[in-house]
Amino acid sequence: MSFWTLQQVAEHNKPTSCWVIIHNRVYDVTEFLSEHPGGAKIILKYAGNDATEPYDTFHAPDTLEKNLPPEKYLGPLNPSDALALTHAQRDKTKTKDQLRVEEALTHRPPLHRVINLADMESIARRVLSHKAWAYYSSASDDEIAYTENARAFSRFFFLPRVMRPVAICDPSTTILGYPSSLPIFVSGAALAKLGHPLGEVNITRGAFVPPSVHLIQMVSSNASLSFTEIAQAAGDGQVLFFQLYKHRDDILAERRVRAVEAAGYKAIFLTVDAIVPGNREKDIRCPWVLEDEEAGVPPVYVEDTVGAASGGEANLFGTAGALIANDDRSMTWEKTIPWLRGITELPIVIKGIQCVEDAMLAAEAGVDGILLSNHGGRQLDYSLPPLEVLYKLRRQRPDIFSKLEVYVDGGIRRGTDVLKALCLGARAVGLGRPFLYAQGAYGVSGVTKIIQILEREIVTGMRLLGVSAVKDLAPDMVERVDWQPLATKL
């Protein structure tokens, strides 16, 4: 096999001939430019150069093998040039944001000082890169839906029962028949490697620590590690679900479903609320913030009449919006659910139900569960908080809860939030951002820590409610009020 030099690769830096280097291997991606979900521009930025760092950050390791024909791998880089690349990367001047992160990591408080999920989020805000924080924390438009997801919980108050035996309190449950030590699960979220080099594997390892911690992790189609790698990191008996973003090509979609099933995943969560990316402006602005930071002086802008007339060249996809560019925008109850039932025997849950009417259609379609979710406020702004949808479903169609399992995510930050959802009929609740923040700030230990925090809060809340088992949580233990408390911080 012939070797390539950096000079030879550098000559192929145009749309008509585009080569890149990934882990000292040379690839011809010219024909892939038009197919790349993020568009050709991002690849051309690295045309004729080393693209290993951005590739590792945003793609699972097997992405190239899945999307490029074998003949597009041209061969290895010349050993001396590969060594030169290694030295260049080692000696590369660090950005101001990288230096800030390194400094912040040395001043993280010890984990025993993290006593709630808000503490963990505050630490993550300081130690994550600007890009990671912008992507994880961003929500659509004015972020009203994101804010109200959490505020919705403040409209529900408890009606505790007293003089009931709670010395023994069991917070465990089952989700689709699989045991969980707590009535919570990891909701699917993309690009965990933005926050930590080990990415989703941190969550996998932190969510399953026998004998006490057995949580279920939902793995996103857009994870920064392959679903196979994550499955291989799972412990013996650990349960993983898969969050499916269905490709518009049924053949490709079927291939993924069958591969996921073969890898040992136990359920498919079909995502239906993200057929186009939400308008996440904090994430969109991220590159400009970093550019201005590196400049070190206030930027000077000049009027760009050409750009203004043409709409400019802003990347409105943001960090990961392009990941769903090829998703199916023509899914229907009549077509998609039978198709999915026809290719897998795994339980099917619809993720992204946002109204009672669609919950009824899901039950009629015969799925195994629904996840009431507005994607953490990241898709349609002013979509109703999932807890309010759960409340409406409980009042209008209580029979639905006996036909399928109902879950909810979005805005859960306390064990009491979990209990309110369970009282209203949720089988379990999902958390996404808290696990990204925890693994980004402390790795595996951070994930285990927030599980311990939630367990303490859930068990304490159950005892104060007068219940000793999850099954005893009932609708008459909560009441919705038409006012909201004034929250204070110590």
Side-chain angles (χ1 to χ4, degrees):
M1 181 179 293
S2 60
F3 293 99
W4 296 97
T5 67
L6 287 174
Q7 182 176 352
Q8 287 174 315
V9 176
E11 294 172 357
H12 299 269
N13 60 354
K14 302 177 290 297
T16 54
S17 182
C18 180
W19 293 9
V20 295
I21 302 167
I22 307 288
H23 292 293
N24 298 325
R25 294 159 65 92
V26 181
Y27 295 88
D28 181 353
V29 295
T30 309
E31 296 178 7
F32 183 64
L33 291 174
S34 60
E35 301 176 16
H36 186 241
K41 185 177 179 181
I42 186 62
I43 299 181
L44 289 171
K45 180 179 178 181
Y46 299 95
N49 286 291
D50 182 35
T52 302
E53 183 177 357
Y55 177 84
D56 283 348
T57 301
F58 296 105
H59 300 87
D62 60 354
T63 300
L64 280 172
E65 286 69 21
K66 288 182 177 179
N67 291 280
L68 285 182
E71 62 270 19
K72 297 303 179 181
Y73 167 55
L74 304 180
L77 196 63
N78 180 296
S80 61
D81 283 345
L83 183 61
L85 273 184
T86 300
H87 289 163
Q89 185 63 33
R90 182 195 62 195
D91 299 335
K92 185 179 178 181
T93 302
K94 294 179 180 179
T95 66
K96 291 182 179 179
D97 193 55
Q98 289 172 327
L99 293 172
R100 176 194 61 79
V101 168
E102 289 182 358
E103 175 70 13
L105 285 170
T106 65
H107 291 90
R108 286 175 303 176
L111 265 175
H112 73 265
R113 294 190 181 182
V114 180
I115 63 173
N116 57 43
L117 269 59
D119 288 347
M120 187 67 79
E121 181 175 340
S122 177
I123 295 166
R125 179 193 290 267
R126 297 195 297 271
V127 304
L128 290 177
S129 70
H130 182 78
K131 179 184 285 290
W133 176 257
Y135 175 65
Y136 292 162
S137 67
S138 63
S140 63
D141 292 353
D142 299 311
E143 303 191 349
I144 302 300
Y146 165 74
T147 301
E148 291 301 322
N149 281 354
R151 276 170 48 88
F153 287 93
S154 69
R155 292 190 285 272
F156 290 81
F157 277 68
F158 290 117
L159 299 169
R161 302 304 302 271
V162 297
M163 299 295 288
R164 295 187 173 187
V166 292
I168 299 175
C169 188
D170 181 9
S172 67
T173 189
T174 60
I175 303 173
L176 295 174
Y178 295 101
S180 177
S181 57
L182 295 172
I184 63 175
F185 58 89
V186 181
S187 211
L191 301 184
K193 281 178 68 175
L194 274 178
H196 191 285
L198 295 181
E200 288 80 6
V201 164
N202 281 328
I203 300 175
T204 306
R205 293 171 177 164
F208 190 77
V209 187
S212 59
V213 178
H214 296 78
L215 292 193
I216 296 172
Q217 177 186 8
M218 183 203 307
V219 175
S220 171
S221 288
N222 297 322
S224 49
L225 294 171
S226 71
F227 60 80
T228 304
E229 285 180 298
I230 297 170
Q232 290 172 345
D236 187 24
Q238 185 170 3
V239 176
L240 300 175
F241 295 157
F242 189 75
Q243 178 195 12
L244 176 67
Y245 285 80
K246 182 187 175 297
H247 198 283
R248 61 190 177 193
D249 185 327
D250 284 356
I251 295 176
L252 294 179
E254 179 176 345
R255 188 180 303 163
R256 167 165 280 192
V257 171
R258 293 192 184 280
V260 164
E261 189 169 7
Y265 286 76
K266 302 303 183 183
I268 298 292
F269 277 62
L270 176 65
T271 300
V272 296
D273 64 339
I275 53 175
V276 294
N279 183 36
R280 306 169 193 176
E281 294 178 350
K282 186 190 301 181
D283 186 35
I284 293 169
R285 291 192 180 98
C286 173
W288 311 332
V289 173
L290 291 174
E291 287 173 8
D292 292 348
E293 179 183 81
E294 286 305 301
V297 295
V300 178
Y301 301 114
V302 296
E303 184 177 1
D304 180 2
T305 55
V306 175
S310 64
E313 297 180 355
N315 175 17
L316 298 181
F317 279 134
T319 299
L323 293 175
I324 62 174
N326 291 322
D327 287 359
D328 191 348
R329 299 180 183 178
S330 300
M331 292 187 291
T332 66
W333 295 105
E334 298 79 11
K335 177 186 67 174
T336 307
I337 305 305
W339 167 83
L340 189 53
R341 279 288 187 211
I343 63 172
T344 182
E345 295 182 357
L346 293 178
I348 296 172
V349 177
I350 305 301
K351 180 183 184 295
I353 297 295
Q354 299 170 76
C355 65
V356 173
E357 292 76 10
D358 279 346
M360 294 164 55
L361 289 174
E364 292 172 6
V367 300
D368 300 279
I370 55 174
L371 175 50
L372 307 180
S373 173
N374 60 17
H375 222 91
R378 292 162 75 81
Q379 288 302 105
L380 178 64
D381 206 8
Y382 286 95
S383 51
L384 202 63
L387 187 69
E388 293 284 6
V389 178
L390 178 66
Y391 177 66
K392 286 167 65 71
L393 184 61
R394 166 58 64 185
R395 293 188 64 190
Q396 297 176 19
R397 291 298 302 268
D399 59 301
I400 296 295
F401 294 87
S402 64
K403 297 178 179 179
L404 43 70
E405 292 191 0
V406 178
Y407 321 110
V408 63
D409 72 10
I412 293 95
R413 297 297 182 267
R414 286 281 188 182
T416 48
D417 296 340
V418 175
L419 296 177
K420 290 174 186 179
L422 267 59
C423 284
L424 291 173
R427 184 76 182 184
V429 305
L431 296 92
R433 287 184 179 93
F435 284 104
L436 290 175
Y437 295 151
Q439 73 93 26
Y442 292 95
V444 175
S445 298
V447 173
T448 302
K449 180 64 176 181
I450 64 168
I451 293 172
Q452 293 170 343
I453 290 171
L454 287 167
E455 180 181 27
R456 172 176 54 81
E457 292 182 347
I458 289 171
V459 170
T460 299
M462 288 175 64
R463 284 178 166 146
L464 293 175
L465 273 169
V467 300
S468 59
V470 168
K471 64 179 177 59
D472 297 326
L473 295 166
D476 59 8
M477 291 182 170
V478 292
E479 180 175 325
R480 189 186 188 283
V481 301
D482 59 2
W483 47 271
Q484 290 181 293
L486 177 63
T488 59
K489 285 287 185 182
L490 295 178

